[in-house]
Amino acid sequence: MDTETAPSRLALSVQRAIGTENRARSPASALIRRWALAALQDDAEVTVRLVGEAEGRRLNRDYRGKDYATNVLTFVYDESETLAGDLVLCVPVVAREAAEQGKPLEAHFAHLIVHGMLHLQGFDHEAPDEAEEMEALETRVLATLGYPDPYA
């Protein structure tokens, strides 16, 4: 007998702690939801916070010991029945990376949301085999969304 599983439920909050210029470069909440859901394997409560360089740098320094703004940070708060956590994306860093890599900004944001969502669910890329598994999953999820392989 075939059994279908119910789609995962996502309680999503999007916070925009950014100025006008960065707000114009940030993706719509509906797109963020679409990308997050595509990578979600279980129910989750997630806040996506879009920040500028100062906050991105402070969070990376305070929580990772690295004194620079990075593209995405993932914070897991609860891994019980309903996964809970935050994704923090530094809009100017994401925009700069997309330009440097010759990628559409939307595709780069999609990749980083998927990447962060996978981190929330326990995926990592510290060891080569973990990185291979995570990158393959990211590529598959992004393909279902119509985006190219971010590692090509």
Side-chain angles (χ1 to χ4, degrees):
M1 170 171 33
D2 289 331
T3 59
E4 290 187 35
T5 58
S8 299
R9 289 183 310 216
L10 175 63
L12 177 69
S13 172
V14 177
Q15 299 175 350
R16 296 177 193 278
I18 49 180
T20 306
E21 179 184 342
N22 287 321
R23 188 174 295 267
R25 297 189 289 188
S26 67
S29 297
L31 277 176
I32 293 171
R33 172 175 287 287
R34 181 173 176 252
W35 302 332
L37 275 169
L40 191 59
Q41 298 174 356
D42 292 304
D43 295 347
E45 296 175 6
V46 178
T47 297
V48 172
R49 184 170 173 84
L50 302 167
V51 302
E53 290 214 43
E55 184 173 346
R57 181 178 182 175
R58 181 181 56 77
L59 290 169
N60 200 28
R61 182 187 60 234
D62 292 354
Y63 291 95
R64 295 182 63 227
K66 298 182 179 186
D67 194 18
Y68 57 88
T70 190
N71 53 18
V72 62
L73 294 167
T74 304
F75 299 94
V76 179
Y77 299 120
D78 190 0
E79 296 177 85
S80 60
E81 286 186 36
T82 300
L83 177 67
D86 293 346
L87 300 182
V88 178
L89 286 95
C90 185
V91 175
V93 171
V94 175
R96 188 169 47 248
E97 288 176 347
E100 289 169 354
Q101 297 170 21
K103 296 178 180 178
L105 183 55
E106 181 179 308
H108 197 42
F109 267 114
H111 176 214
L112 293 173
I113 293 288
V114 167
H115 183 87
M117 289 298 293
L118 293 178
H119 272 308
L120 278 176
Q121 296 169 93
F123 290 89
D124 210 340
H125 47 80
E126 293 300 316
D129 60 326
E130 291 174 335
E132 187 176 312
E133 177 187 8
M134 187 171 176
E135 289 172 10
L137 185 51
E138 288 172 54
T139 301
R140 282 195 306 274
V141 170
L142 289 166
T144 67
L145 293 166
Y147 297 106
D149 180 349
Y151 299 104

